[in-house]
Amino acid sequence: QVQLVESGGSVVQAGDSLRLSCAASGSTFDAYVMAWFRQAPGKEREFVAARNWGGGSPVYADFVKGRFTMSRVNAKNTAYLQMNSLKPEDTAVYYCAAGKILFRSPSEYNYWGQGTQVTVSS
C-alpha cells in the first residue's frame, strides 16, 4: 500500500501562487506514476497533472496553460505542484494520486490522498 499526504492548500487572492506537496510513504515500489487531480463542489474530479517517477516530461491539463508545474518525485518521495497566476476557477480540493499507468482518468489511480483545499478569491 502507498500512503499519500497532500499539504500546502490555502486561501489566496487571484494572481497569487501556491506550492502543493504530496508526500508518499509505504510500498512506494507499487506505484510508478504520481498525479494531481482537483474537484470543485458539484463538479467532477478533473485531471491536473501527472508524471512518471522515473522521469520524463509531466503531462498537464489544458487549463494549466503554463501556469502549473509538477516536479519530479524527490529522494524523500515527495512531489510538488507549483501553481502560479491562480484564478478563482482554480478553487477546488486538490488531490494527490499514485498508480502504475499514466492516464488522465482518476479511475486509473489506486492510491489517493485526503485532499487539500485551495481557495482563490477574486
Side-chain angles (χ1 to χ4, degrees):
Q1 297 293 312
V2 177
Q3 293 79 47
L4 303 173
V5 178
E6 308 97 331
S7 62
S10 184
V11 179
V12 299
Q13 295 286 329
D16 285 354
S17 297
L18 279 176
R19 190 178 74 161
L20 305 183
S21 300
C22 177
S25 61
S27 300
T28 55
F29 55 85
D30 288 337
Y32 302 97
V33 177
M34 187 83 79
W36 288 94
F37 291 81
R38 70 184 188 183
Q39 187 167 23
K43 296 185 178 180
E44 297 180 353
R45 188 167 298 189
E46 65 178 343
F47 174 82
V48 177
R51 71 185 303 164
N52 292 314
W53 284 10
S57 299
V59 177
Y60 297 106
D62 290 340
F63 66 77
V64 170
K65 295 183 178 180
R67 298 182 298 124
F68 295 1
T69 302
M70 185 178 179
S71 75
R72 295 182 179 182
V73 179
N74 64 19
K76 295 185 177 181
N77 293 326
T78 300
Y80 303 95
L81 182 68
Q82 178 68 44
M83 305 187 296
N84 300 322
S85 301
L86 285 164
K87 305 174 181 179
E89 51 263 43
D90 293 320
T91 295
V93 176
Y94 284 72
Y95 295 92
C96 181
K100 295 184 177 181
I101 303 173
L102 199 162
F103 279 109
R104 296 174 183 263
S105 171
S107 65
E108 301 294 336
Y109 296 88
N110 305 108
Y111 307 102
W112 293 86
Q114 82 289 345
T116 185
Q117 176 70 48
V118 173
T119 301
V120 185
S121 61
S122 60

